[in-house]
Each structure stands twice: as C-alpha cells, then as structure tokens.
Amino acid sequence: PGRPVVAGTFRKPVRDVILAACRRAGSALYALGREIRVRQEGYPYFTYEGIQWSMEGLRCGLAGEHQIRNAGIAIGAVELLRGQGYRVREEHVRQGILTTRWPARFEILMQRPWIVIDGAHNVEACRILTKTLDLEFPARRRIMVLGMMKDKDIPEMLNILTEGAYATIVCRPAMSRSADRAVFEKIIAFSSRDRVFWNDTSPEALSRALELASPDDVVCVAGSLFLAGEIREILTGRNRKGSGRIGM
C-alpha cells in the first residue's frame, strides 16, 4: 500500500481499473502520456519528459515505436526508484535503454540475408511486427516463415503477416497445440507459383526461406514463440532441430 504506480496506458476501461486500484492502495499514479511523455526525434531517437528528468537524444536498443513507449515507462519507474534512495544517474539510463536486448522480440540473428525472429502470436502483436518491419526494412523484399497454435486467430494473423510478402512458408512447430497443414489449407492455398509453401518442420521451412532469399532480402520468422525458439536454437547453433525454448 502507498507505493507509486507507473502505467503504460490511460485509456478506458483500463484507466478506471488502474485508478480504482490506486485509490484502494493509497498509491500515486504516474501515467504515460500524462506525467510521463516520450516524443520521437526521428526514429529510433526520442526525447523523454518525466517527473523530474528531461532527456534528449535517447536511443532504444529494441526495435519498434512501441518499444520507445515502453522505454518511457521504464525511465519513469527509475525516476521513482531514485526518489526512494536508489542511485541511478542519467548516463546509466541512456546506456541501459540503448543496450537492452530481448530474445525473439524483433531479434536480428543474421545479415545478408537478414533474418529476424519475433514471437508475435496474436493479432495486435502481428500488426506491431509488420509496422516495425516497415520501419526497419522499408525497401527490402520480405519472406515470411510462419507457424501458429490452433487456438489463435489464424486467418487474421495470416492476413496481416503475409500482406506484401514476396514469399510465405508455413510450418508446424513441434508442439501438440500447433496448427497442422489441414488447418491452414482451410484458409490459404499452397502454390509454388504464388510462392506460398508448406514445410512440415521449422528446419525445413528455414532452409526453403534461405533458398528463396537473395542477400538483400529479409526473412522474418513469426506467429509463435515456440517457432521463434526453434529457429533461434538452430541459428545460434544450440540445437539443429530446435526445441522451442528461448534462451536468454
């Protein structure tokens, strides 16, 4: 009780729930877009205006405009910790934001061709991923390697992730909950002419993507954290088959 709260959203109905919880606990609320503000200076640089600090020329080590907002929330939390006696200087914050890494969150594992793995596994995350791909690789041809769980909104996720793609390769991650070929065939037509392919396993899907890719292309792996984990293990040499575990 009484501990300050930092919130990343102040929209209804979430706002009302957070405000009610803060009132019950006697906690002060600091919200992004209110007490805490971030402003892009030209992606990926941004300015932070907070409780006491004001910083320009910050750069986020994680890709995507959403990560700039997340960085603002983190800096706000650090400001509050400083008020409780923690010794954190501005240069610590700058370095921390710049060097933050998150496996399988728009993680670039190879260049020429570029290979990006992202754990996007719901509709909103897929929208954010495609927006970030447009920001980071605006003029590069895109090859998507996809695998999804049966309980997801597969039609909408496919619609988002395959728009504008040069080629799409769908596979089944080694999980009992993963969608098989029969599930996908109800939604899309596999056709070599249209460069929409099925491969049974993630290693096979990755091999096909690399066969199709030119050095300037982007291969993006998405749709499931399990698939991201399998491909990550293969590319980092930890497991040629891929277990689906995402190592830190």
Side-chain angles (χ1 to χ4, degrees):
R3 295 294 184 182
V5 173
V6 181
T9 182
F10 212 62
R11 299 177 184 173
K12 284 190 172 186
V14 177
R15 178 187 67 187
D16 297 335
V17 173
I18 295 172
L19 284 170
C22 287
R23 281 195 293 267
R24 288 194 301 270
S27 297
L29 175 63
Y30 301 87
L32 185 68
R34 198 175 64 172
E35 294 81 8
I36 298 165
R37 298 181 182 275
V38 292
R39 185 180 71 253
Q40 286 193 45
E41 294 181 346
Y43 180 82
Y45 294 94
F46 68 100
T47 293
Y48 172 85
E49 296 285 344
I51 303 157
Q52 293 181 331
W53 268 341
S54 177
M55 290 185 251
E56 296 180 346
L58 290 159
R59 180 170 182 171
C60 187
L62 298 176
E65 293 177 329
H66 62 297
Q67 298 295 4
I68 290 175
R69 295 190 292 273
N70 289 339
I73 298 165
I75 298 171
V78 169
E79 283 205 80
L80 294 172
L81 288 171
R82 273 169 49 91
Q84 297 179 18
Y86 287 84
R87 297 180 180 179
V88 185
R89 296 195 298 270
E90 181 179 319
E91 58 264 34
H92 298 150
V93 171
R94 288 183 179 276
Q95 184 67 10
I97 295 296
L98 178 63
T99 59
T100 297
R101 298 293 180 266
W102 194 351
R105 296 305 191 279
F106 209 89
E107 184 179 15
I108 297 172
L109 290 179
M110 198 170 104
Q111 297 180 17
R112 298 189 59 82
W114 299 78
I115 297 183
V116 177
I117 63 169
D118 193 278
H121 57 282
N122 57 52
V123 169
E124 182 59 26
C126 290
R127 290 196 181 104
I128 291 171
L129 171 58
T130 55
K131 186 175 181 179
T132 305
L133 283 167
D134 290 339
L135 275 172
E136 295 283 337
F137 303 106
R140 295 184 187 272
R141 207 167 60 170
R142 194 176 301 171
I143 298 169
M144 303 300 298
V145 177
L146 306 176
M148 300 170 189
M149 299 298 108
K150 289 183 287 189
D151 58 346
K152 301 297 180 178
D153 187 350
I154 295 177
E156 185 60 19
M157 289 170 64
L158 281 174
N159 183 52
I160 295 166
L161 292 173
T162 60
E163 184 177 358
Y166 170 74
T168 300
I169 302 117
V170 185
C171 64
R172 184 176 188 183
M175 286 290 297
S176 59
R177 291 195 298 115
S178 61
D180 59 16
R181 178 169 182 154
V183 172
F184 284 100
E185 283 182 327
K186 296 175 183 178
I187 305 164
I188 59 173
F190 294 108
S191 163
S192 57
R193 183 185 62 187
D194 297 326
R195 295 186 294 274
V196 180
F197 305 96
W198 170 267
N199 281 102
D200 289 327
T201 67
S202 58
E204 293 171 344
L206 178 61
S207 294
R208 187 188 289 269
L210 293 176
E211 289 171 4
L212 291 169
S214 73
D216 292 329
D217 290 344
V218 177
V219 174
C220 180
V221 179
S224 163
L225 280 166
F226 298 108
L227 176 61
E230 289 178 13
I231 298 296
R232 191 175 193 276
E233 283 194 331
I234 294 166
L235 292 173
T236 58
R238 295 182 180 180
N239 188 331
R240 291 188 177 181
K241 293 183 179 180
S243 69
R245 298 184 185 91
I246 299 175
M248 300 301 288

